[in-house]
Amino acid sequence: MPTLPEVPLLDHSTLESFLARRFEAQSEKLSDIPHPNLLKDAQKGSERLARAIRNHERIALVGDYDVDGVTSTAIVKRFFDLIPYPLITTIPNRFSDGYGVSKNVLERIDADVIFTVDNGINAIEAAEVCKGRGIDLIITDHHTPGDTLPDAYAIINPKQSDCPYPFKEICGAQVGWLLMGLLKQELNLTIDMRQFFPFLSLAVIADVMPLVGINRAIVKTGLEMMSRSTLSPFVMIRDFLNRSAISAEDIAFQIAPRINSAGRLEDASIALEFLLADTTEKAYHQFELLTALNTLRKETEAQNTAEAMLQVNPNDSIIVVAGEHWNEGVVGIVASRLVSHFQKPAIVLSLHNGIAKGSGRSIGNVDLYTLIKSQESLLQKFGGHKMAAGLSMKSETINTFRNGINEAAKGVDAADFIPHNDIVGELEHEMINFQLLELLERFEPYGEGNPRPRFLIRDADVVAVKLFGSEQSHSRIELRPSRVSQKTLELIAFRRTLECPESKKMSCSYTVNKNEWNGRVSLQLMVERVF
């Protein structure tokens, strides 16, 4: 049983002060976005693209199959359509091509200049192929660079140690957008780069970038623009969500998984066509396909998670599990499920033809990228960052890898494995009202770096627990927090079936959300964790 955290009793003013402190040292003005020419090689890259356009050279773009990569591709394609200039656009298929600008992908591309978005920082072989074919390769990426960089014409990545760009935690779409901003200057165009903010906000949220500083400014503006945009994808998103205002959490939990499902299960081109749709009919059609794929993704993920659970060694600090033909597209989500259940970092591998490919997710302050890097000699490929990474190896090395990474983890401070406690305090019953909702809305958008405040209910009397939904897979809990008052609170736990404890007592953390339905607004309390 998890220990109940010690947290303060809050009123509205102390909660407001707490939330305001999160942003004291951060500038949140769009005007504070650093100039793109601070990105190392960005000026060089934009000058080469401008020269290619003036000389009518063939230009190709290679994106990635997750939301950030697909959105990056959509931003660049829309920009080139505005010039207008033809652009060869390729997003690798996860299953047949693997990740990024690979040798396999290059065989299909006939171009003078190739540039990447959201990938390429480890594309050493691809850079050699391009050099051999006389192609100028421009890499734009935001993932952690390895010890050796590709021999490319230009590498634009804020995480390079010698890159002076001051804001390092930006997503691939932002790097691509900044490069397009410089290209606009080079070509002396009058394109308004703010029109891409709705796409940028989608990528920033989906790629779990910290919602502080310029990221927060972009997402705030992007979500407001999304709420009134006439572009077909955003008209569709608005219709689907049926809300007067779109929140970061709507994007994170409703829209991003659908866009992601295309690359996870089929081909990311389905998602790209949705983001590039120029009619509402096309957007609706693509969104229906994405929704169907997302349903299939959930079923596949549930099955793979159940199988992975059975393999976990409870004595390991870092979970490493592998399964024949587990779907490569969902192993990252399965890893997240294992992290949540076991409260440990997890790596999930799919075995196919003697090769193990997979994803890892971390917890607390454990640097998973560094731990994986410690086993570099066993790996064919790896990349990522502190909290999430991808990797591949020969199947026969899995046990050696698992033993090695667990040995390396012995050097990690035990405190780093403790999940971040985001519970900010306890609220008296009468404090949970529309005034609280208005206060919380002032500090949106919530997400990475600015989590929605979680509150604690301690030792409440359980009045009732009822299951609901077509498959009885959600729970509605009625609690009486105070023995003095007869007032009760209703909390919802989606996709969880809870039972009334024998003690008829419950302690849990929860969030306060706005529920909009048919024009009516109400408070919705969502269970986060039961203690």
Side-chain angles (χ1 to χ4, degrees):
M1 181 70 71
T3 311
L4 222 53
E6 285 301 321
V7 292
L9 194 63
L10 297 174
D11 58 22
H12 290 174
S13 63
T14 51
L15 175 61
E16 185 173 16
S17 301
F18 169 82
L19 292 173
R21 279 198 300 277
R22 287 181 175 177
F23 308 107
E24 277 172 354
Q26 296 284 345
S27 168
E28 288 175 30
K29 289 193 229 138
L30 291 172
S31 56
D32 289 326
I33 296 174
H35 198 280
N37 64 14
L38 289 174
L39 279 166
K40 186 189 173 212
D41 277 3
Q43 194 67 47
K44 184 182 180 186
S46 65
E47 286 168 6
R48 180 65 187 94
L49 287 172
R51 191 163 75 248
I53 289 167
R54 290 191 191 104
N55 295 337
H56 305 287
E57 295 178 74
R58 292 158 303 174
I59 304 174
L61 173 71
V62 179
D64 185 31
Y65 38 64
D66 69 358
V67 180
D68 188 15
V70 174
T71 308
S72 306
T73 307
I75 288 170
V76 172
K77 179 71 174 76
R78 282 180 175 273
F79 180 89
F80 269 73
D81 287 348
L82 291 168
I83 295 178
Y85 193 84
L87 179 71
I88 303 160
T89 306
T90 303
I91 296 181
N93 181 284
R94 182 190 292 267
F95 307 101
S96 57
D97 296 321
Y99 172 73
V101 56
S102 62
K103 211 169 152 187
N104 194 14
V105 169
L106 290 174
E107 285 172 7
R108 303 200 300 269
I109 298 174
D110 184 17
D112 303 297
V113 179
I114 294 175
F115 73 107
T116 72
V117 280
D118 193 35
N119 77 90
I121 197 63
N122 294 318
I124 290 161
E125 188 184 29
E128 284 172 11
V129 172
C130 285
K131 205 142 200 162
R133 285 173 55 187
I135 298 167
D136 285 336
L137 175 64
I138 298 166
I139 291 168
T140 82
D141 203 347
H142 72 121
H143 295 100
T144 306
D147 296 333
T148 307
L149 292 176
D151 184 10
Y153 180 87
I155 299 177
I156 305 159
N157 182 338
K159 289 206 177 84
Q160 290 179 93
S161 58
D162 57 348
C163 177
Y165 196 79
F167 204 81
K168 305 292 183 185
E169 293 301 318
I170 58 177
C171 67
Q174 288 166 284
V175 182
W177 173 75
L178 289 165
L179 178 63
M180 292 304 98
L182 281 180
L183 180 56
K184 167 198 159 178
Q185 285 184 358
E186 283 297 314
L187 296 171
N188 201 22
L189 300 169
T190 55
I191 294 168
D192 182 359
M193 297 305 290
R194 289 174 300 182
Q195 67 184 280
F196 299 107
F197 281 168
F199 294 98
L200 287 175
S201 62
L202 178 60
V204 170
I205 295 162
D207 223 48
V208 202
M209 292 294 106
L211 296 186
V212 296
I214 61 169
N215 286 351
R216 183 171 167 79
I218 288 169
V219 168
K220 256 179 139 168
T221 307
L223 290 174
E224 285 166 12
M225 290 172 71
M226 210 184 281
S227 295
R228 56 178 190 273
S229 172
T230 55
L231 290 177
S232 301
F234 301 120
V235 171
M236 174 64 237
I237 286 171
R238 271 203 309 276
D239 281 3
F240 171 74
L241 292 172
N242 192 24
R243 294 184 191 280
S244 57
I246 298 170
S247 74
E249 290 144 314
D250 290 331
I251 297 299
F253 299 115
Q254 298 287 335
I255 305 305
R258 284 171 165 78
I259 295 172
N260 243 335
S261 65
R264 289 189 188 283
L265 298 185
E266 286 279 342
D267 193 276
S269 59
I270 300 166
L272 181 62
E273 284 183 42
F274 169 66
L275 292 178
L276 293 176
D278 53 5
T279 66
T280 41
E281 289 76 21
K282 177 72 173 172
Y284 271 79
H285 175 71
Q286 295 305 119
F287 196 79
E288 281 179 3
L289 292 177
L290 293 174
T291 297
L293 282 171
N294 194 47
T295 302
L296 179 59
R297 187 268 305 166
K298 286 181 190 171
E299 292 165 3
T300 309
E301 172 212 317
Q303 184 182 338
N304 290 174
T305 300
E307 291 170 17
M309 289 271 194
L310 300 174
Q311 284 194 31
V312 173
N313 181 342
N315 299 318
D316 284 351
S317 301
I318 312 291
I319 294 167
V320 179
V321 292
E324 281 287 345
H325 301 295
W326 283 350
N327 190 295
E328 272 180 51
V330 302
V331 288
I333 308 174
V334 174
S336 295
R337 298 282 180 260
L338 296 183
V339 171
S340 177
H341 188 270
F342 294 99
Q343 301 287 289
K344 295 175 181 180
I347 294 167
V348 179
L349 302 163
S350 170
L351 307 178
H352 191 73
N353 293 338
I355 301 296
K357 282 188 195 171
S359 289
R361 298 290 183 270
S362 195
I363 196 169
N365 209 28
V366 176
D367 188 339
L368 188 62
Y369 177 84
T370 301
L371 286 172
I372 290 172
K373 193 175 189 309
S374 74
Q375 308 304 304
E376 191 171 0
S377 61
L378 301 171
L379 304 175
Q380 293 180 329
K381 270 185 178 177
F382 74 100
H385 46 82
K386 181 177 174 177
M387 299 306 289
L391 65 167
S392 66
M393 68 189 86
K394 288 182 178 171
S395 299
E396 63 258 28
T397 62
I398 292 172
N399 280 333
T400 312
F401 172 80
R402 181 170 59 219
N403 292 334
I405 200 168
N406 273 285
E407 190 61 36
K410 288 178 182 174
V412 178
D413 190 328
D416 287 349
F417 285 87
I418 299 168
H420 298 306
N421 174 26
D422 291 328
I423 299 175
V424 299
E426 289 184 66
L427 288 169
E428 293 286 6
H429 190 296
E430 60 272 14
M431 292 289 166
I432 304 170
N433 53 25
F434 281 100
Q435 189 185 339
L436 172 66
L437 199 59
E438 286 168 15
L439 190 162
L440 292 173
E441 283 182 333
R442 289 210 298 278
F443 293 93
E444 287 187 349
Y446 292 112
E448 183 69 16
N450 180 36
R452 180 174 282 277
R454 292 172 170 84
F455 305 105
L456 182 69
I457 290 180
R458 193 187 298 269
D459 294 328
D461 293 329
V462 180
V463 178
V465 178
K466 293 176 183 171
L467 302 182
F468 69 98
S470 56
E471 296 175 6
Q472 299 287 287
S473 57
H474 313 301
S475 305
R476 184 178 280 112
I477 306 121
E478 191 179 355
L479 299 178
R480 186 179 292 113
S482 167
R483 289 171 191 77
V484 179
S485 168
Q486 286 302 302
K487 287 182 180 174
T488 61
L489 292 173
E490 183 180 277
L491 295 93
I492 303 288
F494 285 119
R495 289 178 291 282
R496 287 162 73 187
T497 52
L498 299 176
E499 294 176 357
C500 183
E502 281 182 30
S503 64
K504 298 279 182 74
K505 297 277 186 193
M506 185 180 284
S507 298
C508 65
S509 60
Y510 67 98
T511 60
V512 179
N513 301 265
K514 180 181 186 177
N515 184 33
E516 258 187 87
W517 184 252
N518 288 339
R520 287 186 61 196
V521 176
S522 60
L523 274 71
Q524 191 168 62
L525 311 187
M526 308 283 288
V527 175
E528 286 284 321
R529 189 177 176 195
V530 176
F531 293 92

